Amino acid sequence: MAVRKAERKAGRIVAAVAATALVVGGAAACGPEDLTGGSDDKASASESASAGGPEAKEPPAGTDGLAKVPATVEGGVITVGDPKAGHTVKLYEDARCPICKKFEETGAQALVKPVAEGKVKVEYTLASFLDKNLGGSGSVNAANALRASVDAGKFPEFHAAVFANQPERETEDAYTPAFLLKIADKVDGLRGAEFDKAVRKVTYKKWVGEAMQSFTDDGMQGTPTVVIDGKKAGSDSLFDQDAFAKELKAAGI
């Protein structure tokens, strides 16, 4: 009997691990599967949250390249760049997704110059399915804070800082309001009464739900997903800056 229980438990663990990552072109992607487990990590995250979270890291160099680029909100989408730009890149992410962090550190860097030059605008759809998958509220908290950063005129910089401070373990629910405010301290001019209140009170929780609905309505199956002028980018190009730059060039960007 004990052996059978152990076998069933092992089976559930294997299923959960398999569902955590969808294999797309040889690269893992976070997918909105229904997962259970990760109790040990949740416990450590709870302890971390009670202590206000870890120390925040500085956003990566070059983040200020988009400091003067406008960010606007329409429905559940945040758009960065000139609204009249000739090209549109749609980017679907979940703040807790480690593969999104990998994209932000590699392929996404090829977007900085064309966005700053007004050639392309980026439409961000911020998903939050990993909270359901893994437990906690980090994805919702992060998306809420990112929405608040638009009002403060600091979305590109804060977006980069949030991913720079993603916890090492996907299951760790590190994006508490307290930790997000620590991250915001790394972005000059972001902290203020309105922003801080929005982060602490999760003011934009309803909008976070709207963003998740946009993700679902667009038929997305995982993150990161990148669509360039209506055509889905090949996953094999997402995690190398030069390779993604070539894909952008092929689209005329």
Side-chain angles (χ1 to χ4, degrees), residues 12 67 86 89 117 129 134 139 141 144 147 149 173 193 227 241:
R12 289 195 297 269
V89 173
E117 292 176 346
F129 57 80
L134 304 168
S139 293
N141 289 338
N144 171 76
R147 170 62 183 83
S149 73
D173 189 29
V227 180
Q241 184 173 342

Side-chain angles (χ1 to χ4, degrees), residues 58-76:
E58 295 286 343
T63 300
D64 55 356
L66 297 177
K68 296 182 180 180
V69 176
T72 57
V73 179
E74 184 173 350

Side-chain angles (χ1 to χ4, degrees), residues 8-20 33-42 129-135 171:
R8 286 197 297 269
K9 182 178 180 181
R12 289 195 297 269
I13 293 171
V14 170
V17 171
T20 303
E33 303 293 333
D34 187 13
L35 303 184
T36 57
S39 58
D40 290 342
D41 285 338
K42 291 175 190 175
F129 57 80
L130 283 174
D131 286 351
K132 179 180 178 181
N133 290 9
L134 304 168
T171 50

